[in-house]
């Protein structure tokens, strides 16, 4: 896969190994989950059961799974918004809430619900991500304003940095949200369903953007999605989650059998009576020779490069 | 008697001057918060808190009936404030929206509905009870009339209330300055703010207390029924005219002040009640801003 960026502003604005990168300062895994189980109040079945998983520093891990498979729960646990009933979670060696309070975690929501009339520009919103912890009597220091400029260029949002944050298109808003997360120079960037509502071209651009962010900032990336393409295109490793962790593997280890097992309940629930099976790469003209294709069939097909 | 003849009398002139100064402080405080109220869709919360003030009025009257020595503006203000702050925090606690928590939290509109009707009912009964107590004791209960409770009595403002209005404005400006960054982050994107580490329940609680504070003072100007108007109309009008933070806040205050001066002038000329007159002018200003902002 070609991960080179085509955005000239990125190349002009940011060099490798600069002040955007924050030293991890520890050999601890970026994220460590050991035998984590979480059950929501009033529910008998656990949303997550006995999940053990390590995310290494600077790794890009995708968490793939069907709707209701526990992805959002895992994300809330990593962010420290929920406490597991059993097991242990560490983010760079700290409890998630501590890591969050220390500013180690940058979060990009699935879709930020920002009022159209909200009276902040994109630049001001991104600056807020870098400065909300500052003393109220302090102005935003120059170095932080420079970082804001750089992340805006890095994500390709510099051209519309002056526009009101509530008036952006879906793709523009997503870039602004990534910039806001990066402006705080997190060690871990968590993205929640980043490609929902984005077309195929937008997903391709998103994968390029994620690769650029990873290359330029050296940040650990955790992507949570049920979208195969979002996961495969932008991650080094994929963890398949459907209440339990089914496997973790490199993207090319995602066999059709693994996906069929992972999504069988979800797909059957939505479409009814469909089946998931594999074709050789030659069957699909849009995929490269190293890929196989997963096709979900029933009237319409959805293709993901694996 | 014409408006100029009214103002030519020193007593009347001072009455309007006090109303103008106190009203300006109240309107400015409300206008600052109204931007947040509109953006966070908290108008109904403001309505709930302002109607809760009715319960506070009843409690203050009961205290006045039982202990006539405490029948002073400062005590009434303190009782109202405590009642409204308790209601605001109760609504915040009952809803806890956006903090990712679980448990028995209820929808915001349900919680407000519960507090609103509960407080109105308690207020009505407390007013009735305090009147009968005062009557049985032969005490003259100088409590507020139903009309002034519901629609305000800004012209009855004393210098103590002017000072209270100024103090409330200072508190609002001071606290907003101190918490502006986490408050803005929360207002912009509550779900993400918590993931970034913003203490969203605390931020929400701070805003609720500030809302309670301005509502208590705004009931003097516009009464419990119309106080919410001061928390909605200036901000809603300003957000139709600009999308930059500082201009929005300044515009909101200016619109509030124009509404106040225009409303008092209208009241003076027509002999209408000042509170509803101010709200009517503000509503007209919002209509004008909507047309201008198209």
């Amino acid at each position: 896969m070609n991960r080179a960026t085509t955005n000239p502003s990125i190349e002009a604005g940011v060099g490798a190994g600069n002040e955007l990168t924050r030293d991890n300062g520890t050999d601890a895994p970026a994220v460590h989950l050991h035998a984590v189980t979480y059950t929501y109040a009033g529910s008998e079945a656990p949303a997550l059961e006995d999940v053990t998983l390590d995310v290494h520093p600077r790794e890009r891990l995708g968490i793939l799974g069907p709707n209701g498979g526990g992805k959002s729960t895992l994300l809330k646990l990593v962010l420290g918004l929920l406490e597991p009933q059993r097991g242990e979670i560490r983010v760079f060696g700290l409890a998630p809430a501590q890591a969050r309070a220390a500013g180690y975690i940058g979060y990009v929501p699935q879709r930020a619900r920002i009022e159209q009339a909200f009276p902040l520009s994109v630049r001001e919103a991104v600056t807020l991500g870098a400065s909300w912890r500052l003393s109220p009597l302090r102005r935003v220091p120059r170095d932080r304003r420079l970082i804001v400029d750089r992340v805006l260029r890095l994500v390709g949002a510099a051209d519309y940095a002056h526009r009101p944050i509530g008036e952006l298109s879906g793709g523009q808003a997503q870039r602004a949200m990534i910039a806001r997360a990066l402006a705080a120079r997190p060690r871990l960037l968590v993205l929640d369903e980043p490609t929902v509502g984005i077309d195929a071209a937008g997903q391709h651009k998103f994968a390029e953007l994620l690769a650029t962010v990873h290359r330029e900032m050296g940040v650990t990336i955790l992507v949570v999605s049920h979208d195969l393409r979002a996961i495969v295109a932008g991650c080094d490793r994929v963890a398949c989650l459907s209440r339990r962790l089914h496997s973790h593997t490199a993207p090319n280890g995602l066999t059709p059998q693994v996906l069929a097992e992972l999504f069988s309940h979800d797909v059957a629930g939505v479409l009814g009576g469909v089946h998931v099976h594999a074709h050789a790469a030659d069957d699909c003209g849009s995929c490269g020779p190293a890929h196989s294709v997963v096709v979900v069939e029933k009237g319409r097909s959805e293709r993901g490069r694996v | 008697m014409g408006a100029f003849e009214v103002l030519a009398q020193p007593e009347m002139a001072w009455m309007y001057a006090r109303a103008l100064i106190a009203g300006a402080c109240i309107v400015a405080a409300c206008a600052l918060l109204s931007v947040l109220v509109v953006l966070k869709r908290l108008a109904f919360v403001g309505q709930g808190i302002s109607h809760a003030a009715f319960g506070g009025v009843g409690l203050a009257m009961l205290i006045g009936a039982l202990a006539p020595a405490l029948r002073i503006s400062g005590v009434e203000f303190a009782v109202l404030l405590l009642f409204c702050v308790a209601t605001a925090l109760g609504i915040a606690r009952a809803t806890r929206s956006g903090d990712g928590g679980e448990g028995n939290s209820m929808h915001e509109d349900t919680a407000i509905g519960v507090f609103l009707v509960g407080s109105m009912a308690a207020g009505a009964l407390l007013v009735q009870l305090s009147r009968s107590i005062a009557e049985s004791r032969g005490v003259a209960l100088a409590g507020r009339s139903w009309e002034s409770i519901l629609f305000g009595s800004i012209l009855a403002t004393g210098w103590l209330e002017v000072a209270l209005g100024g103090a409330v404005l200072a508190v609002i400006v001071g606290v907003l300055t101190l918490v502006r960054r986490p408050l803005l982050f929360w207002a912009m994107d509550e779900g993400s703010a918590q993931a970034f580490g913003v203490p969203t329940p605390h931020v929400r609680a701070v805003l609720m207390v500030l809302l309670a504070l301005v509502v208590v003072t705004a009931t003097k100007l516009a009464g419990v029924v119309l106080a919410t108007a001061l928390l909605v109309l200036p901000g809603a009008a300003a957000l139709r005219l600009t999308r930059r933070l500082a201009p929005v806040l300044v515009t909101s205050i200016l619109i509030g002040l124009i509404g106040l001066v225009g409303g008092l002038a209208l009241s003076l000329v027509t002999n209408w009640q000042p509170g509803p007159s101010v709200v009517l002018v503000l509503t007209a200003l919002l209509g004008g801003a909507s047309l201008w902002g198209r």
Side-chain angles (χ1 to χ4, degrees), chain A residues 5-22:
Chain A
T5 177
T6 54
N7 189 335
S9 64
I10 292 172
E11 289 161 358
V14 182
N18 52 40
E19 66 272 23
L20 291 178
T21 310
R22 183 144 106 168

Side-chain angles (χ1 to χ4, degrees), chain B residues 112-144:
Chain B
I112 296 162
V114 168
F115 279 95
L116 190 153
V117 295
S119 183
M120 287 290 282
L125 292 176
L126 285 172
V127 168
Q128 188 184 5
L129 180 65
S130 47
R131 281 183 176 159
S132 56
I133 288 174
E135 204 174 295
S136 66
R137 291 185 169 195
V139 178
L141 188 62
R144 295 162 66 179

